[in-house]
Amino acid sequence: MHFFEEKRKEVMSHIEPHMLEKMFEYLKPIDTIWQPSDFLPDASRSTFFSEIKELQESAKGLSYDLIAVLVGDTITEEALPTYESWLTMVEGVSDNEEGGWMKWTRHWTAEENRHGDLLNKYLYLSGRVNMRMMEVSTQYLIADGFDIGTGHDPYRNFIYTSFQELATNVSHRRVASQAKKDGDALLSKMCGVIAGDEARHAKAYKYFIEKIFEVDPNEAMLAFEDMMRKKIVMPAHFLREVGLKIGQTFGHFTDAAERLGIYTALDYVDILKELIEDWHIESATGLEENGEKARDYIMNLPARLLRVAERMKNPMLEYKFSWING
Ligand SMILES: [Fe+2]
Ligand SMILES: [Fe+2]
């Protein structure tokens, strides 16, 4: 176990300079990147109330399921303290508080923090949401934490975050196009810019893993296999509402997303395929026997998951969320 941790730390410090070199390709300058206030009514303007009225008019057209997905997405973003504290516990991240990995973690967190901020304010102004109920769920989710099956292993963690950033890119992008169809151009624009951030973050995490594959291919392959065997769970899998037990709301949230086609079992397979391609899994060299077996498992997985996905029925159960008014 000790050797394992030492080796991981060694690889992390090997990648650190590469990461620092690329960091600002994957993150944008703070002074010029979008901020929530770029999209929201400005309370210092005399037109504030008419702008809110307009915002509420277009929000009226959003379907019940779309609001449910949006609230779930917002709570997921608002649980950022969980993700930041988790990242600092990853092997090799916080050894040096001023080091590159801590710098990455802080800058990544700082960009992500705008997502929950923007969505939360929008939902508040929209008049469609029972804010207290949403806030209770948010507090619960942060208090409950998560269990993503990575331990403190950087390989498993960055495989997880690569997958997860791609998944959030898909879901915010789909919410954007659904909002547009429902006549809410503002929400559509907001979710579009959030999706853009997620895409950049995905590129960064994919790059870290690509670098890890270069120097430690066998262990990287085993980590990838392990994460896929466990299945990538969403960070909000402990989601609940007032009076419910831990995780009891999560399935209803994902059902709504599946029904609307915001994030489906097919998207899961597509993301897996993208990672297999980007990390050149098929042509990876330097594998030992267990690494070869892990590769076989990964290469066969998309087809297997597709067969399962095809048999799945669209979830029909309609559920009344405490988060939504009326
Ligand atoms: Fe985000
Ligand atoms: Fe993200």
Side-chain angles (χ1 to χ4, degrees), residues 77 108 112 115 165 168 198 201:
E77 296 284 355
W108 171 84
E112 284 285 342
H115 300 171
E165 297 282 10
T168 49
E198 310 291 15
H201 299 164

Side-chain angles (χ1 to χ4, degrees), residues 119-182:
L119 293 174
N120 192 320
K121 282 173 179 147
Y122 168 85
L123 287 174
Y124 168 60
L125 292 174
S126 77
R128 295 284 310 266
V129 171
N130 182 325
M131 289 305 288
R132 185 165 212 288
M133 290 303 175
M134 182 176 119
E135 287 157 355
V136 168
S137 286
T138 304
Q139 186 171 346
Y140 261 125
L141 188 61
I142 296 173
D144 289 337
F146 63 8
D147 179 13
I148 53 176
T150 59
H152 302 318
D153 175 15
Y155 299 7
R156 283 171 176 76
N157 267 283
F158 293 153
I159 289 164
Y160 178 85
T161 50
S162 297
F163 198 104
Q164 203 46 55
E165 297 282 10
L166 288 172
T168 49
N169 168 262
V170 169
S171 70
H172 287 305
R173 197 154 32 86
R174 298 261 173 75
V175 171
S177 54
Q178 195 59 49
K180 198 170 186 181
K181 273 187 213 149
D182 291 350

